[in-house]
Amino acid sequence: MEFQFFHGNITKEKCEEILSKVGINGSFLVRDSESIPGALCLCVFYEHLIYTYRIFRKSDGHFMMQTSEGTPRHVFRTFNSLIENYKKPNQGLVINLCYPVNRCPYYQETQTVYVTKEEAYEDPDVGEDYINVLPD
């Protein structure tokens, strides 16, 4: 997922720590669900509490947020349209989404990059600063 406010596989506790540190009503982030594989959690800070809403991807690729009983269920074609909808007031959340809490730069820099075996052993084009430490 390309959104900067998507924190991936962080724990509920880490999520609460991040949002509490920001401490602004309407701040939010999205993380992977710990208890339901494939589901996402939209976590929203409001009045010193963290509210968590589960987001499911349907078999047709559309997105749906888990709502309380009696609340109309909306289906969204894209994840972005779901987020944009809940930025509007009175959509069924405790508060509308106002302030995305982005991943820290360190997290972005340490994401795994996959390369083929051939790419891993190619001679890098980095100039004279490169020292070949592997035997020929």
Side-chain angles (χ1 to χ4, degrees):
M1 189 163 291
E2 299 174 22
F3 298 94
Q4 295 298 310
F5 56 81
F6 176 65
H7 288 246
N9 191 22
I10 63 170
T11 64
K12 176 184 174 185
E13 291 77 17
K14 182 67 175 173
C15 170
E16 291 173 351
E17 176 186 326
I18 292 167
L19 287 173
S20 295
K21 207 176 274 189
V22 172
I24 301 171
N25 288 342
S27 57
F28 69 95
L29 62 81
V30 175
R31 64 177 176 83
D32 291 324
S33 172
E34 292 177 284
S35 57
I36 301 176
L40 300 172
C41 292
L42 171 64
C43 304
V44 184
F45 182 90
Y46 181 69
E47 298 295 325
H48 305 286
L49 294 173
I50 310 299
Y51 293 81
T52 302
Y53 303 90
R54 283 204 181 92
I55 299 171
F56 297 97
R57 189 161 199 176
K58 298 174 56 150
S59 60
D60 62 4
H62 295 172
F63 293 87
M64 184 177 73
M65 185 130 59
Q66 184 178 34
T67 57
S68 58
E69 195 173 317
T71 305
R73 292 183 183 234
H74 300 284
V75 177
F76 301 92
R77 292 184 65 124
T78 66
F79 182 75
N80 190 49
S81 61
L82 181 145
I83 295 297
E84 289 302 315
N85 180 73
Y86 289 103
K87 286 182 176 180
K88 301 173 201 166
N90 304 316
Q91 297 300 310
L93 302 183
V94 66
I95 188 172
N96 57 304
L97 305 178
C98 300
Y99 309 105
V101 177
N102 295 336
R103 298 183 305 258
C104 68
Y106 175 77
Y107 176 79
Q108 293 172 24
E109 292 171 6
T110 60
Q111 290 182 3
T112 303
V113 177
Y114 296 96
V115 296
T116 65
K117 185 176 181 181
E118 291 77 26
E119 290 172 323
Y121 291 103
E122 285 180 1
D123 288 334
D125 186 22
V126 293
E128 297 175 357
D129 292 336
Y130 177 73
I131 300 171
N132 189 0
V133 294
L134 296 176
D136 289 330

